Each structure stands twice: as structure tokens, then as C-alpha cells.
Amino acid sequence: MADKLNWPVFTLTSGPVDAYPAVLRGLGRTVSYDFDPAFQLFYENVAKKAKKAMGLKNAPVILHGEPVLGLEAAAASLIAEDDVVLNLASGVYGKGFGYWAKRYCADLHEVEVPYNEAIDPADVAKALKKRPETRIVSLCHHDTPSGTINPAEEIGAIVAKHGAYLITDAVSSFGGMKIDALSSHSDIFVTGPNKCLGGVPGLTLLGVSERAWKKMKKNPKAPRASMLSILDWQDAHRHDRPFPFTPSVSEINGLDAALDVYLEEGPEAVWQRHALTAKACRAGVKAMGLELWAAREEIASPTTTAVKTPKGVDEEKLRAAARSLYGVTFSSGRGETLGKLTRIGHMGPTAHPIYSTIAISALGGALNALGRKTNTGAGVEAVLATIGKKI
Ligand SMILES: *Cc1c(COP(=O)(O)O)cnc(C)c1O
């Protein structure tokens, strides 16, 4: 059967992504018993590495499910019934967080912009002025189904000045560009290994501020003895068992390796190759006569390039052609952006500029195969010229 599965040659998606070879080797480590002192020490060391990588004051909480778990847990734990929440939506994920938030509070207001745009910090300031009782703000830094970046640091400064708490979804930006909990004034900063860190889906990393811990402890509805609990993990080591439940041992092995790759290469170098890969890809897209989805290039993500589907082209058929002709997998849009764009991921091991020649070749070739004449050669030339120039 295995030979009939027809695996892709290149997975150029926006997550899950191709994992680094070192991560795959890490996953091959034996599975330790979670009560074993050696495993507990190893776990603490992985948390320390994550703290360093994330630039946190305290070790992050590691939750044992892919980052949707962390996002839902953040909503359930931090938001109290009487909180007024401001949700910022510039895409499907930002909007989606609002639905969780609504489950835990009675009063939610939103700033929403078209899904090819970014949130304007001035609009956040206005919304807070209009509703000064707002206690929690939620932001998706990189709304992946749109490939657009929000100005998290500027927004965070406004939220901090107001005295509200900020929950930031940095799942698909952390590790691929400069973003961290402290500089974005985030009280809960959510990320995971399966995007720019080139790891595998199965864990959430949560940076939690001191005041967020206090607020969660005061929230009578914050989950306890639950998969959604963040509180259970703070003092995990002080109880009669080392963890609230069996951690995902293999995922921790993989995370350890992903963090080593990131820290050994150096965050700045990793961000630089993400930025250059995306810049080269955007140059290729434009040179082929295609359009970027992002309304302005300044807000286009360094970790994902979203390409507007040309008129008359069936987006699903376009990805299917790239997959069947070349073995290249791209991501589709999601929700509102589904069918309107194709996403090329630049995350972890695929955030090397030469992958953009592959992406542009497969995209142009697939369009030609569907009868939409595209100058693929010009696209590839533009990618190579951009790589040559550096940034
Ligand atoms: C990938 C991602 C998540 C995790 O969600 P999945 O849809 O389960 O992959 C959350 N937020 C953002 C912004 C993401 O890119």
C-alpha cells in the first residue's frame, strides 16, 4: 500500500510544514516514562530552551495539543464572565478567536477589517476609548489564511497603556520573524512548534505574564482538572505526580530538537532567511503577472505568500495540478479566503530562498497546464535576481 500513497516531493504549505531532519531524528528517541527523574529533568531543560527562544521571563507552559488547544485554553482561563473583550479580526483566525471569547464573556466588541488588510493601531485606540471598560484584547499577529501581518507591537503598546490584558496568537509568525511576548506586551502569547520552528503538530507553547497568572487564579470558571487547564500546569511539579496527565513524550523530544535548530542557527539568521524567501517569492509572483492577496506589500507575511487566484481559474484545480504534475503541495485559503487565494508557506526548513524557485515554477506550470498563459520563466528569473541581491 505504502507505494501507492504518492507522497509530495515538496510540502510548501503554511503548516503543518516539513520538519527539520534534526526534528525527525529527535522524534526517534525512545519514549521515557514521565515519572522518571531523567525525563522530568529533560522536560525542564526543554522548557528552559523554549523560554530562551521565546525571550520570556519565566518558562512557558507547554500544553499537549496543537496550538488550537492553547488558544481555546487562553480564552477559557483568562476571560471571566463579566469581562468586556475587544477582538481584533483581520482574517479567519482572528475572527475565529472571537467565537471562543464569546463563549466565556457576555460582552464582546470587535474591530474588523477586510481580510486582505491589517488592523490599524489607531482603530484599536478608538475602540478602547469608546469602550473604556474593555479588559481583554485579542489579536492574531499573522492571520495565516490571508498571509498578512498585524502591527502587534504598536497594538500591544496601546493595550498596555489602557491597562487591558492582551492575548496574542503568534502561532504562524513566532520563529519566522521578530515577535515575542514582551515586545508585544502580550499577557498570553500563543505559539507552537509546527509552523516556523519546523517541528511537528502536537504541542502549544504559552508565554504567560505574572498578572495573567493572577487573573486566571481569580477566575472561578478557569478550567481545572481539564485538558483546557493552564493553571494545572503551573504547579505541576509540586503535586504528587510530575504532570497533570501523561505529556506527549515524543513531541517533547521533537520540540527539543526544533529549539536546538533555532537557537544554534540564531533567531536573527532564521528570520533573515524567512524574509528573503518571502521577498523572492513575492518578486516571482509579480513578475509572472499575478497579484499578491495582501492589499499592500508591507503587510505581506515573511512566513506565507498568499497569491490571489486569477479570474477564471479554479483554485482547487490549480493546487491539484501543482500536486499531480510536480509533487508540490500548497495551502488553500480557509473560510472566507477559500477559493480566492493559494498560499505558499516559508516556514522552518522551507524558508530557504531557493524554495521560492520551486514554488514559482510549480505555480506557473500549473497555471499554464490549466490554460492560463503565465510567464513562469520571468517569475523564476525575478526570484533568482532577488536572492542575488540579499536584503
Ligand atoms: C496554524 C495556526 C493555528 C493552529 O491552528 P490549526 O488550524 O489547527 O492549524 C492557530 N493560529 C494560527 C494563526 C495558525 O496559523
Side-chain angles (χ1 to χ4, degrees), residues 147-207:
T148 47
I149 298 287
N150 283 308
E153 288 166 0
E154 287 91 327
I155 292 170
I158 290 166
V159 174
K161 202 169 150 218
H162 186 81
Y165 295 79
L166 179 64
I167 299 173
T168 303
D169 173 349
V171 175
S172 60
S173 53
F174 173 77
M177 65 186 292
K178 191 177 180 327
I179 183 70
D180 59 72
L182 295 186
S183 66
S184 60
H185 302 272
S186 300
D187 290 287
I188 300 193
F189 182 87
V190 186
T191 194
N194 52 317
K195 303 280 169 84
C196 304
L197 288 178
V200 293
L203 297 174
T204 299
L205 297 168
L206 286 181

Side-chain angles (χ1 to χ4, degrees), residues 112-342:
E112 189 169 3
V113 295
Y115 289 2
N116 62 346
E117 263 295 350
I119 304 282
D120 183 344
D123 289 341
V124 179
K126 260 186 241 158
L128 290 173
K129 204 169 164 201
K130 206 168 144 205
R131 300 288 314 272
E133 67 280 26
T134 302
R135 280 205 90 197
I136 296 181
V137 179
S138 44
L139 171 73
C140 181
H141 179 224
H142 172 211
D143 214 304
T144 330
S146 300
T148 47
I149 298 287
N150 283 308
E153 288 166 0
E154 287 91 327
I155 292 170
I158 290 166
V159 174
K161 202 169 150 218
H162 186 81
Y165 295 79
L166 179 64
I167 299 173
T168 303
D169 173 349
V171 175
S172 60
S173 53
F174 173 77
M177 65 186 292
K178 191 177 180 327
I179 183 70
D180 59 72
L182 295 186
S183 66
S184 60
H185 302 272
S186 300
D187 290 287
I188 300 193
F189 182 87
V190 186
T191 194
N194 52 317
K195 303 280 169 84
C196 304
L197 288 178
V200 293
L203 297 174
T204 299
L205 297 168
L206 286 181
V208 182
S209 73
E210 286 302 332
R211 63 184 205 133
W213 280 118
K214 281 194 195 123
K215 184 171 181 350
M216 289 192 289
K217 280 180 192 157
K218 271 200 232 144
N219 180 6
K221 295 265 173 83
R224 281 282 195 184
S226 157
M227 284 296 276
L228 279 182
S229 182
I230 297 174
L231 290 171
D232 284 356
W233 288 88
Q234 186 187 31
D235 42 14
H237 292 279
R238 275 174 250 140
H239 287 300
D240 57 342
R241 53 171 304 158
F243 304 102
F245 53 82
T246 303
S248 305
V249 175
S250 297
E251 309 293 340
I252 296 292
N253 291 337
L255 173 62
D256 180 54
L259 291 168
D260 280 344
V261 170
Y262 185 63
L263 292 170
E264 278 164 24
E265 184 177 346
E268 304 263 345
V270 176
W271 304 337
Q272 162 76 13
R273 64 176 165 80
H274 279 78
L276 184 58
T277 308
K279 187 179 181 188
C281 192
R282 293 195 300 270
V285 168
K286 291 184 287 179
M288 278 199 293
L290 300 176
E291 276 181 71
L292 298 171
W293 172 260
R296 292 163 287 126
E297 198 163 340
E298 314 90 82
I299 61 168
S301 168
T303 73
T304 289
T305 297
V307 184
K308 210 185 264 183
T309 308
K311 279 215 169 57
V313 171
D314 180 329
E315 200 275 330
E316 195 178 348
K317 285 197 181 135
L318 174 62
R319 272 179 299 108
R323 180 69 172 80
S324 66
L325 289 170
Y326 311 113
V328 172
T329 305
F330 294 129
S331 290
S332 62
R334 292 270 184 277
E336 276 196 33
T337 67
L338 183 66
K340 298 178 187 162
L341 56 82
T342 302

Side-chain angles (χ1 to χ4, degrees), residues 12-36:
L12 302 181
T13 53
S14 291
V17 298
D18 231 358
Y20 287 111
V23 170
L24 301 179
R25 288 195 295 278
L27 291 167
R29 255 182 241 151
T30 192
V31 175
S32 303
Y33 180 50
D34 61 331
F35 282 78
D36 192 286

